Amino acid sequence: MAELEADVSALSNSFDSFRKWINVGDRSTNESELNVPISQFFCFVASCIKSSHKFQPTCLERLIVPLSKADGNDDSHVGVILGLAPVDGYKAGENKSSMFVNAFAIAEVRSGKQGIRKALPELFQRTRDMYAGQYNRRFAWGLAVGGKQTQVVFFGPNYALASPTINIDKPNGRAQLVKLLVSWSFCEYHRLGYDPTITYNDELKCYEIMADREGISTIYYSSGAVIEPDRLFGRRTRCFTAGTAKPVPGVEIEPDIFIKDAWVEATEHTDDDRRDECRFLKAIAKMLEEVRGLDGKCPRFHGGGRVDIKCLIDGSGMATIEDTGRSILNRDICEKLANTKTTPLRVHKRICVQGIGKPLKLVNNVFELICVVADAMECHWNIYEHCGVFHRDISINNFMFSGSGSRIKGMLIDFDHSIFKEDKDAVRNFKQSGTFPFMSINNLEGSLTEYSVLDDWESFIYNLCWIGVYGWWKTVDVAKKPNSPKGAQQDQQEYKRISRWERDIIYECADNKRTDLHSEELFYQITSQFDKAIPAIGSLKRLVCKLRKTLIDDHTDEKLQGSVRKPLQSQTADDSVYVLDGQEPDPELHDPFDERIKEADTIAKRLLENIKEAARQARAHLKSLE
């Protein structure tokens, strides 16, 4: 009886406190004034659920409770952070967790009747931070609170869905919010947005990551992510280094597997998915059995594919379903999304490859850099020649390396955007075929021109230019990191001509690239801004200029030269033509990029020889220093 009286007393105190939310609500001008009563509302509901569970045992899984502030920000910038508490160990007001990684959802609070509109942008940002810090996150929940009104927000892989406004001062509004909290307390773990195939083993002090390997569910052991998602929507790629052997407690894991976990655009059925990365990696694995000298330069497929989730199906018991952006929704919402062209299907995939590498930003100098990218492009050529695969995403983040000095090796990774040569009718979408500043002109313009191996080499030149201007990054100012150029100081960005390659208007970006590549004089405006603080930057500059010349200038046929569209020289004005409107007819223009496709393989081989020769010289220099 004493325990029951204590529970009743706690409930009464929480009830009296959260009533201030109803009474103050829209009149409050201070968010911190609302945080306490809103927190007490969640405490009150949790206490009610716990009391009910105590005297009427049910399958209660957890309680939803407010945590203390996660990151030291003041109340005006962080609302109420909700976490999960065990049923038996929870006492109202005693959850002292202060780690943001333990957050289940954010309730972002703003005062006034326009509070929801003000809270939503901050909620998106906070949820992005929460998602990035939790390795087992699939999707997320959040609440935007404005005075007495609340909206529940569901963050999927490429969409956010908001509920109708809930009025907390109305009984039916409070009932809706209570019903949601009860559902969260009783539902399956995966419905909260967590990934049951990635768990933390407290005894081993590491993550256990499940992936399919030849039809067998395999456990990989990892200390944590080496690459975290930087966006709330899209691919949201996480990468882990992992080992296959079960670790010994207290002994550091020796990784030999690289795992990529991402939400990628795909078809509903695996057999129709022509851009399935597993298909390309399996083709590469077969090639490695036949072509010598590529060990360590190409990723070797180890396992993985689409992620499956075990869940309860109404009336059918346990079932296994593919984890997709639609399977996590109810049928009605799923059908609506399926009918919208702006919300393509994203599928949760996990790819495991042998070959551990470090990101390009960790190379020590220009000479190592040249060796790494040369190996990666040799890998690129062999994958094209022997597997018939276009990579289509040559970017700084997709170059990895192992070793150092003259023994350094480079590797090309990430085949999310790849297509086989025979897939001529593969869907072309500029948003899904590369990293924006490095995309080829053909790609940017959405041209009907056939994709060729030269598109990837053109992208490679843009990468080297970007590295020359902004660094790769270890030896220059962090503000100019190539993988976050928009974070650079504005005054530095304004005078960098290369910044025109990431304009929001894609056709303007394409025109800028056409102009900059067209001649040595125009290209000099890019290379003259290579960072002179980088030792031996001249070696990189000479290589870039040689590659541009091979791609753009060194052709006997004038139609293949240059990068801007121009009229055929055989076309001249015909004075005898009678023009009704008094204007000359526009001459037919030809595009040098179209013309070069006929000689694509020949030109690509010359480009490969350029980079291999530069690597031979760079490796010899590194050898002389050892």
Side-chain angles (χ1 to χ4, degrees):
M1 180 63 72
E3 187 176 2
L4 176 61
E5 290 176 353
D7 285 343
V8 171
S9 176
L11 286 172
S12 178
N13 291 336
S14 295
F15 179 77
D16 289 340
S17 181
F18 91 72
R19 279 196 306 178
K20 295 178 182 177
W21 184 10
I22 302 172
N23 296 333
V24 177
D26 298 336
R27 299 195 306 274
S28 174
T29 58
N30 186 351
E31 282 80 13
S32 61
E33 188 178 1
L34 289 174
N35 283 345
V36 173
I38 291 173
S39 296
Q40 288 301 316
F41 174 82
F42 295 114
C43 291
F44 174 75
V45 175
S47 298
C48 288
I49 294 173
K50 183 185 177 185
S51 298
S52 174
H53 171 70
K54 185 181 297 182
F55 299 104
Q56 290 184 332
T58 60
C59 56
L60 179 62
E61 297 288 338
R62 67 198 68 83
L63 297 172
I64 310 300
V65 298
L67 304 179
S68 56
K69 292 304 174 189
D71 49 11
N73 287 281
D74 59 71
D75 288 345
S76 63
H77 293 290
V78 180
V80 178
I81 300 172
L82 299 178
L84 308 180
V87 178
D88 296 333
Y90 171 68
K91 293 183 180 180
E94 291 191 4
N95 196 315
K96 302 298 185 181
S97 174
S98 61
M99 296 298 292
F100 195 68
V101 294
N102 292 333
F104 157 63
I106 309 294
E108 195 61 44
V109 180
R110 290 293 182 271
S111 59
K113 294 183 178 180
Q114 297 296 315
I116 288 181
R117 182 178 59 81
K118 298 175 183 178
L120 282 171
E122 196 68 26
L123 176 62
F124 274 63
Q125 178 61 38
R126 292 290 172 187
T127 303
R128 188 206 71 83
D129 295 340
M130 182 182 72
Y131 187 91
Q134 297 182 7
Y135 301 153
N136 62 339
R137 268 288 176 183
R138 297 161 51 238
F139 57 85
W141 296 89
L143 293 93
V145 180
K148 299 178 183 179
Q149 296 183 327
T150 299
Q151 274 190 333
V152 180
V153 183
F154 177 88
F155 296 94
N158 54 338
Y159 52 78
L161 305 175
S163 72
T165 300
I166 299 171
N167 293 302
I168 200 66
D169 58 339
K170 305 293 183 183
N172 63 337
R174 293 192 294 276
Q176 286 179 300
L177 198 50
V178 169
K179 184 178 179 181
L180 176 65
L181 294 173
V182 171
S183 296
W184 282 342
S185 299
F186 284 87
C187 73
E188 296 169 272
Y189 183 69
H190 71 87
R191 297 188 188 279
L192 297 174
Y194 295 107
D195 188 344
T197 65
I198 299 180
T199 56
Y200 188 77
N201 188 315
D202 286 312
E203 181 181 351
L204 300 177
K205 304 299 181 185
C206 69
Y207 290 90
E208 295 181 339
I209 303 173
M210 305 292 294
D212 176 82
R213 190 181 184 204
E214 299 179 350
I216 300 174
S217 184
T218 303
I219 299 177
Y220 297 87
Y221 302 92
S222 174
S223 300
V226 293
I227 298 176
E228 297 176 354
D230 58 356
R231 297 180 182 179
L232 183 56
F233 303 111
R235 295 166 69 188
R236 305 190 300 186
T237 301
R238 286 189 182 92
C239 294
F240 303 83
T241 54
T244 52
K246 187 175 181 178
V248 177
V251 178
E252 188 175 344
I253 295 173
E254 294 186 7
D256 56 352
I257 300 294
F258 187 81
I259 300 176
K260 184 176 74 171
D261 187 275
W263 290 78
V264 300
E265 285 192 22
T267 57
E268 188 170 352
H269 302 291
T270 305
D271 293 342
D272 300 328
D273 192 357
R274 291 182 295 175
R275 286 174 51 187
D276 180 19
E277 188 169 8
C278 289
R279 291 179 64 206
F280 304 114
L281 289 172
K282 288 175 181 177
I284 293 169
K286 186 176 180 180
M287 176 198 71
L288 290 173
E289 296 174 0
E290 302 171 355
V291 181
R292 297 182 180 276
L294 294 178
D295 283 343
K297 298 180 182 179
C298 297
R300 189 182 290 272
F301 184 67
H302 194 266
R306 298 190 178 203
V307 175
D308 292 334
I309 300 290
K310 291 183 178 180
C311 63
L312 286 170
I313 304 295
D314 294 340
S316 303
M318 293 296 295
T320 300
I321 61 171
E322 284 187 353
D323 196 19
T324 73
R326 293 173 189 166
S327 66
I328 58 182
L329 301 170
N330 67 42
R331 183 172 299 176
D332 291 340
I333 297 177
C334 180
E335 289 178 354
K336 290 179 181 178
L337 284 178
N339 293 327
T340 60
K341 295 181 180 179
T342 56
T343 311
L345 176 67
R346 284 194 177 270
V347 173
H348 188 188
K349 294 185 180 183
R350 187 168 297 145
I351 307 295
C352 307
V353 296
Q354 286 179 308
I356 295 297
K358 301 175 184 178
L360 187 69
K361 66 181 180 180
L362 296 180
V363 298
N364 292 304
N365 52 58
V366 165
F367 303 107
E368 286 190 349
L369 171 78
I370 292 173
C371 293
V372 169
V373 297
D375 285 349
M377 293 309 290
E378 183 183 359
C379 166
H380 172 273
W381 171 255
N382 280 280
I383 289 170
Y384 166 74
E385 185 178 38
H386 297 286
C387 304
V389 171
F390 293 125
H391 187 275
R392 299 207 311 166
D393 191 13
I394 303 297
S395 67
I396 292 167
N397 291 332
N398 290 336
F399 295 122
M400 306 287 282
F401 76 95
S402 59
S404 62
S406 64
R407 292 173 295 279
I408 197 167
K409 278 189 175 182
M411 177 188 293
L412 182 64
I413 64 167
D414 198 346
F415 292 81
D416 267 356
H417 299 306
S418 300
I419 59 171
F420 284 105
K421 282 196 293 186
E422 63 265 23
D423 286 344
K424 300 298 184 183
D425 58 340
V427 176
R428 295 181 56 81
N429 183 338
F430 67 84
K431 293 182 180 178
Q432 292 300 319
S433 53
T435 305
F436 197 80
F438 313 135
M439 287 165 60
S440 69
I441 292 167
N442 180 21
N443 215 350
L444 284 167
E445 294 177 342
S447 171
L448 296 177
T449 301
E450 178 183 328
Y451 197 94
S452 82
V453 68
L454 296 183
D455 284 277
D456 283 352
W457 277 99
E458 183 188 337
S459 293
F460 178 60
I461 292 172
Y462 298 146
N463 274 267
L464 295 186
C465 289
W466 202 266
I467 289 170
V469 174
Y470 294 115
W472 57 82
W473 205 248
K474 185 175 181 179
T475 58
V476 196
D477 190 337
V478 169
K480 297 185 292 181
K481 273 188 177 180
N483 56 358
S484 56
K486 292 184 180 178
Q489 296 176 2
Q490 189 62 33
D491 58 341
Q492 291 176 326
Q493 282 282 357
E494 285 176 351
Y495 68 83
K496 301 298 184 186
R497 185 179 177 88
I498 200 172
S499 66
R500 308 186 315 152
W501 293 0
E502 56 173 352
R503 296 285 171 86
D504 292 335
I505 303 174
I506 59 171
Y507 287 103
E508 183 178 331
C509 178
D511 286 342
N512 291 335
K513 287 182 175 180
R514 281 186 181 274
T515 301
D516 292 336
L517 284 180
H518 187 64
S519 69
E520 289 184 351
E521 292 77 17
L522 291 169
F523 193 61
Y524 176 76
Q525 297 183 62
I526 298 293
T527 59
S528 65
Q529 294 185 324
F530 277 23
D531 195 329
K532 297 178 179 60
I534 302 175
I537 192 64
S539 296
L540 182 62
K541 184 185 296 187
R542 286 189 293 273
L543 171 60
V544 171
C545 290
K546 178 64 176 177
L547 292 171
R548 189 215 69 86
K549 188 175 181 182
T550 301
L551 176 64
I552 302 297
D553 297 338
D554 286 351
H555 312 289
T556 55
D557 188 342
E558 291 185 2
K559 290 188 295 185
L560 277 64
Q561 297 174 358
S563 58
V564 300
R565 294 185 180 93
K566 49 193 175 185
L568 296 173
Q569 288 191 358
S570 60
Q571 289 181 321
T572 56
D574 186 353
D575 296 333
S576 64
V577 175
Y578 182 72
V579 183
L580 293 177
D581 60 4
Q583 295 181 348
E584 290 285 350
D586 291 333
E588 180 183 352
L589 300 178
H590 82 280
D591 189 340
F593 287 96
D594 293 349
E595 301 292 342
R596 284 192 286 266
I597 289 177
K598 304 167 189 175
E599 303 292 332
D601 287 8
T602 301
I603 298 170
K605 289 178 182 178
R606 289 162 50 203
L607 288 163
L608 181 61
E609 280 306 312
N610 290 162
I611 187 66
K612 288 173 71 173
E613 177 57 31
R616 280 191 286 269
Q617 295 178 16
R619 212 175 291 274
H621 177 77
L622 291 168
K623 183 73 173 176
S624 69
L625 299 177
E626 295 173 353

